Amino acid sequence: MSQIKRILVTGGAGFLGSHMCERLVNDGHDVVCLDNFFTSQKSNVAHLLDHQNFELVRHDVTHPLWLEVDEIYNMACPAAPGHYQYNPIKTMKTSVMGAINVLGMAKRCNAKVLQASTSEVYGDPDVHPQPESYRGNVNPIGLRACYDEGKRAAETLFFDYMRQNGVNIRVVRIFNTYGPRMHPFDGRVVSNFIRQAIAGEDITVFGDGSQTRSFCYRDDLVEAIIRMMNGPDEFVGPVNIGNPNEFTIRELAEQVIELTGTKSRIIEKPLPADDPKQRQPDITLAKEKLGWEPQIQLREGLQRTIEWFQSVDFSNFRAPTPNY
Ligand code: NAD
Ligand code: UDP
């Protein structure tokens, strides 16, 4: 029997989605990439357009989908704080209505469906590192809530569609992931620091830079997601996917300065509201169930990402919102 599957990737033109599409196309699957291009552009998938097993659809996941597929990776959602806070009501709709639409489609065509959830479901965590059993510390009325609560509600929908309708689900909680093809103007810390360093601009550390994040390189992330989708039906998640090596934001700035050899200086800017003070995944479950752990550490991942940023012309990128 053929191993070729018909696979939908929502948000497939984005940073992570485009790498998922690339991997699935290279594995020989019949891939539909669906995107409304809010935070991405066609150039991310232009190299896939002449593959016979790749198709690009402009569509917004808040509207119903009608396709026939075997698997769905639901990755459509703005992920950078400046973008998801630009139109917070739309962000919530994208998470919630997007989940309902892909789950309804999965139910109709008996497809397996994976949700790209996030470490933000833990909010500003008071348990450290964060295991999947931790229920989180999210401010439900804060500026980040449209994203955090939207993703939490999407997880609820995934588990209710599984229990009520027998939909075959997977849920991964992604921790800060970076790499080539991040939007240079998405405002996230890795892309901001590298773009600023290359352009010789000041490096903007928010607050005193003592807050921490744990950064996962995109190749490690893609591998984990593929393993999760193809793992046994008994293990649906949620599972943390991330690199447990934790750095302060100031340490990240210093590494970027060293690796780019820039003359840029570090300056401090106000810390945004509800900015989590610490974040580190407990990946015991991913190790045990998926036999997965990250292979690429920060220095090497940053080098590869810097090379990509140096190879592109920033003027070819449209800033998605004024908030970068
Ligand atoms: P991204 O912004 O590059 O990609 C998101 C994609 O979704 C973009 O192509 C965007 O145009 C598209 N999109 C947004 N709203 C849409 C809508 N209503 N309809 C159709 N398409 C829509 O971000 P990313 O980092 O690639 O994130 C991909 C997914 O992974 C997101 O769901 C995000 O929440 C999740 N995630 C990412 C990280 C990370 O560190 N990169 C961490 C946690 C979770
Ligand atoms: N950050 C920063 N300077 C920037 C962008 C972000 O110091 O130019 C900080 C931000 O305040 C946060 C961390 O870097 O503490 C990670 O921010 P990002 O937006 O990448 O992701 P998230 O906060 O969602 O983890």
Side-chain angles (χ1 to χ4, degrees):
M1 200 178 81
S2 167
Q3 297 300 308
I4 298 174
K5 290 178 281 197
R6 298 163 302 176
I7 302 179
L8 169 66
V9 183
T10 75
F15 159 50
L16 294 177
S18 64
H19 289 295
M20 288 302 307
C21 287
E22 196 172 286
R23 165 77 182 258
L24 295 167
V25 165
N26 289 338
D27 287 350
H29 297 296
D30 181 356
V31 177
V32 181
C33 165
L34 181 149
D35 209 294
N36 72 349
F37 302 105
F38 172 38
T39 56
S40 59
Q41 43 198 47
K42 278 181 256 176
S43 57
N44 279 350
V45 287
H47 61 296
L48 299 175
L49 286 174
D50 55 7
H51 287 67
Q52 288 185 352
N53 56 338
F54 180 78
E55 194 179 344
L56 182 57
V57 177
R58 183 186 287 264
H59 183 82
D60 191 309
V61 292
T62 60
H63 297 280
L65 319 172
W66 198 276
L67 298 164
E68 309 300 324
V69 294
D70 305 305
E71 287 179 355
I72 306 166
Y73 292 85
N74 187 36
M75 311 196 73
C77 189
H83 297 158
Y84 68 63
Q85 290 169 23
Y86 175 69
N87 185 344
I89 297 170
K90 178 65 193 273
T91 299
M92 183 70 105
K93 282 186 183 172
T94 294
S95 274
V96 174
M97 293 164 70
I100 290 170
N101 288 329
V102 294
L103 286 160
M105 200 181 112
K107 179 185 166 194
R108 177 179 56 78
C109 50
N110 206 18
K112 202 192 304 185
V113 54
L114 178 145
Q115 168 67 358
S117 190
T118 170
S119 53
E120 288 283 326
V121 300
Y122 303 122
D124 187 3
D126 40 24
V127 168
H128 194 73
Q130 296 81 54
E132 290 82 354
S133 54
Y134 176 50
R135 294 186 186 175
N137 179 33
V138 173
N139 173 2
I141 57 168
L143 293 177
R144 297 175 84 104
C146 58
Y147 184 72
D148 302 7
E149 298 289 15
K151 290 283 189 179
R152 286 171 70 95
E155 286 198 12
T156 306
L157 284 160
F158 267 69
F159 278 82
D160 282 335
Y161 267 79
M162 177 182 73
R163 286 185 286 254
Q164 192 174 332
N165 295 320
V167 173
N168 192 356
I169 65 158
R170 302 285 188 276
V171 175
V172 295
R173 291 182 178 155
I174 303 171
F175 283 64
N176 297 66
T177 302
Y178 68 100
R181 239 181 259 156
M182 288 186 93
H183 197 298
F185 299 103
D186 72 5
R188 286 188 267 197
V189 70
V190 174
S191 35
N192 256 15
F193 285 1
I194 294 179
R195 194 198 74 247
Q196 289 163 341
I198 290 173
E201 296 168 8
D202 290 339
I203 309 248
T204 53
V205 164
F206 297 164
D208 63 5
S210 63
Q211 71 272 34
T212 68
R213 295 292 186 274
S214 308
F215 299 100
C216 183
Y217 188 66
R218 58 109 210 257
D219 293 3
D220 285 328
L221 192 280
V222 168
E223 179 60 30
I225 289 185
I226 296 278
R227 287 190 195 195
M228 185 60 186
M229 181 64 110
N230 293 292
D233 287 344
E234 296 69 44
F235 181 58
V236 300
V239 62
N240 289 339
I241 305 295
N243 188 321
N245 286 343
E246 186 182 6
F247 296 85
T248 67
I249 294 305
R250 188 168 284 276
E251 285 171 337
L252 177 73
E254 285 161 357
Q255 281 219 32
V256 169
I257 288 173
E258 186 205 327
L259 291 171
T260 53
T262 184
K263 297 210 164 28
S264 299
R265 298 171 312 130
I266 293 176
I267 59 161
E268 289 186 9
K269 294 256 199 170
L271 188 68
D274 291 339
D275 200 285
K277 283 179 283 305
Q278 53 183 1
R279 188 181 289 152
Q280 184 192 33
D282 178 336
I283 59 164
T284 310
L285 196 60
K287 280 186 189 165
E288 182 193 317
K289 298 285 190 184
L290 308 177
W292 173 89
E293 64 184 310
Q295 304 297 315
I296 298 168
Q297 300 309 334
L298 185 62
R299 196 175 175 83
E300 186 186 347
L302 282 179
Q303 274 163 338
R304 294 189 196 182
T305 310
I306 288 166
E307 274 169 33
W308 181 80
F309 271 75
Q310 284 168 334
S311 75
V312 298
D313 180 351
F314 297 149
S315 68
N316 288 333
F317 291 84
R318 177 188 53 85
T321 70
N323 290 348
Y324 66 87

